Amino acid sequence: MTTLFDTDEARWAAVQRRDRAADGQFCYSVRSTGVYCRPSCPSRPARRANVAFHASPAAAEAAGFRACLRCQPAQPPLAERQAAAVARACRLIDAQVDAGDGAPGLDSLAQAAGLSRFHFHRLFKAHTGITPKAYAQARRAARLRQGLAAAPSVTEALYEAGFGSSARFYAATTGALGMTPGRYRAGGQGETIRFALAGCSLGAILVASTGKGICAILIGDEPEPLLHDLQRRFPRAELVGAEPAFEQTVAQVVGFVEAPRLGLGLPLDVRGTAFQQRVWEALRAVPAGATVSYRELAERLGMPAAARAVAGACAANPVAVAIPCHRVVRTDGALSGYRWGIARKRTLLEREAAAAGAAMPLP
């Protein structure tokens, strides 16, 4: 089996362009300095006559060369080391939050990672999409959700989640849960959600709203599965249907689905993780008539390696069209999976492209 770096000519070309893809494939030594490096080393280029290639760091050291202090070729690649440092920080946050000790401070996390405060903060956000503080809050919210379901009382769950006072607890958790802790513990009991089923050009549509805003826009072939979906989301909430006053809201949503460029002048009440919220907010910035790839969306979030995680957040979107996950396509422009069906995605994109006066070829 051959690779891109089977010949000395190919290896030398990789060294000249400092190709990160070649890291781990081979290393090179410089006779005049007695040092060996990884192909992407940013050091000043050596003369070709002084360069030799080695299959591994061990082979270079066996030949009498020492590791470059700048690129550290005997260590994993920089991106891998950075990802490992962030993973260790996440485990540290998880352990302290789960122990009820609160989240570790930014200074202690940076020190544990061997980085400056600023560099660590930027690195953590680049890999996770959120700040260490937001990560800790999300972890505490997850622990709280588990505790509320299992603890004998809300008070006990309060202290188990690491809150020192009930005032801090209620101030911090209502937003994270989307309802009061007592209602969440009761499976949404006491929460009133108004909903209605209707028809539109895309099929059956269900619109639901809390007192804060639209919490679900579901689309399908038949109305009954949409209602089951809503019941699964809010198993013990009071679902109120067929209210004449709510029909106007439904009509407004249906009109928006038929013509997304008109916009939806209604507030949303969408509940998700901190990362999902970031993805959904970025999606709402994609204008009608335009598309973006999962990779491009991840890059806009400052997380170029998180395309799969972005796709997962799109799939979890509970409000069709209002959070326009249909505007996300594959890197080659082809239509990828869509929770409400590829045919509906194609229809929405063609409709928006026509309204924008643009010719958008869709496969």
Side-chain angles (χ1 to χ4, degrees):
M1 180 178 178
T2 60
T3 71
L4 293 174
F5 311 108
D6 274 349
T7 66
D8 282 356
E9 290 77 10
R11 297 183 187 111
W12 176 240
V15 170
Q16 287 183 305
R17 64 177 180 268
R18 295 179 171 139
D19 190 350
R20 290 185 180 276
D23 289 351
Q25 302 295 315
F26 67 91
C27 55
Y28 72 95
S29 61
V30 183
R31 185 176 55 192
S32 58
T33 63
V35 167
Y36 75 92
C37 303
R38 65 176 74 244
S40 66
C41 183
S43 300
R44 188 171 69 179
R47 292 177 57 193
R48 175 66 183 90
N50 292 330
V51 170
F53 301 103
H54 308 272
S56 66
E61 291 177 9
F65 295 94
R66 65 184 185 277
C68 171
L69 296 178
R70 187 166 186 180
C71 69
Q72 302 181 54
Q75 299 295 321
L78 177 61
E80 196 174 309
R81 298 199 304 271
Q82 290 176 337
V86 171
R88 287 194 299 272
C90 289
R91 289 195 295 269
L92 183 59
I93 294 172
D94 293 346
Q96 288 203 207
V97 170
D98 290 350
D101 297 332
L106 182 59
D107 288 334
S108 63
L109 288 171
Q111 185 176 5
L115 300 169
S116 70
R117 192 173 190 270
F118 172 77
H119 188 194
F120 172 77
H121 190 274
R122 184 176 61 181
L123 189 66
F124 190 97
K125 189 171 182 180
H127 279 76
T128 66
I130 55 178
T131 65
K133 181 178 180 180
Y135 180 89
Q137 289 172 337
R139 180 71 180 190
R140 179 178 282 178
R143 179 174 169 79
L144 173 63
R145 284 190 286 268
Q146 294 173 351
L148 285 170
S153 68
V154 170
T155 301
E156 189 166 327
L158 178 161
Y159 292 108
E160 292 231 349
F163 288 91
S165 70
S166 58
R168 276 184 61 222
F169 171 73
Y170 282 98
T173 55
T174 299
L177 299 173
M179 59 187 77
T180 66
R183 285 184 177 178
Y184 186 92
R185 185 168 182 271
Q189 188 172 6
E191 177 102 353
T192 299
I193 297 175
R194 290 172 171 76
F195 76 95
L197 290 155
C200 67
S201 62
L202 299 179
I205 184 171
L206 181 147
V207 181
S209 178
T210 67
K212 296 180 180 179
I214 301 294
C215 63
I217 300 175
L218 311 177
I219 300 173
D221 296 326
E222 300 293 337
E224 189 173 353
L226 304 182
L227 182 55
H228 290 330
D229 190 353
L230 183 67
Q231 291 170 331
R232 177 184 58 79
R233 291 171 180 276
F234 303 97
R236 299 184 66 181
E238 181 185 3
L239 302 181
V240 179
E243 274 197 344
F246 192 63
E247 297 300 325
Q248 185 177 356
T249 298
V250 177
Q252 189 171 345
V253 172
V254 170
F256 168 68
V257 170
E258 302 296 343
R261 293 186 64 84
L262 297 178
L264 180 65
L266 295 171
L268 299 182
D269 181 12
V270 287
R271 302 163 188 185
T273 66
F275 176 74
Q276 288 172 338
Q277 295 281 2
R278 284 197 68 208
V279 173
W280 295 342
E281 191 63 31
L283 281 170
R284 297 185 74 185
V286 179
T291 59
V292 63
S293 71
Y294 293 106
R295 181 180 299 174
E296 289 169 337
L297 194 60
E299 288 173 350
R300 293 184 186 184
L301 293 169
M303 303 174 60
R308 288 192 177 184
V310 165
C314 291
N317 170 26
V319 283
V321 189
I323 294 176
C325 53
H326 62 277
R327 294 174 190 157
V328 187
V329 297
R330 287 187 352 199
T331 304
D332 61 4
L335 302 189
S336 54
Y338 184 54
R339 180 177 175 183
W340 291 284
I342 289 291
R344 292 186 178 92
K345 183 171 188 171
R346 185 191 306 275
T347 297
L348 284 166
L349 289 175
E350 289 176 344
R351 187 181 293 168
E352 292 181 1
M360 180 186 295
L362 296 174

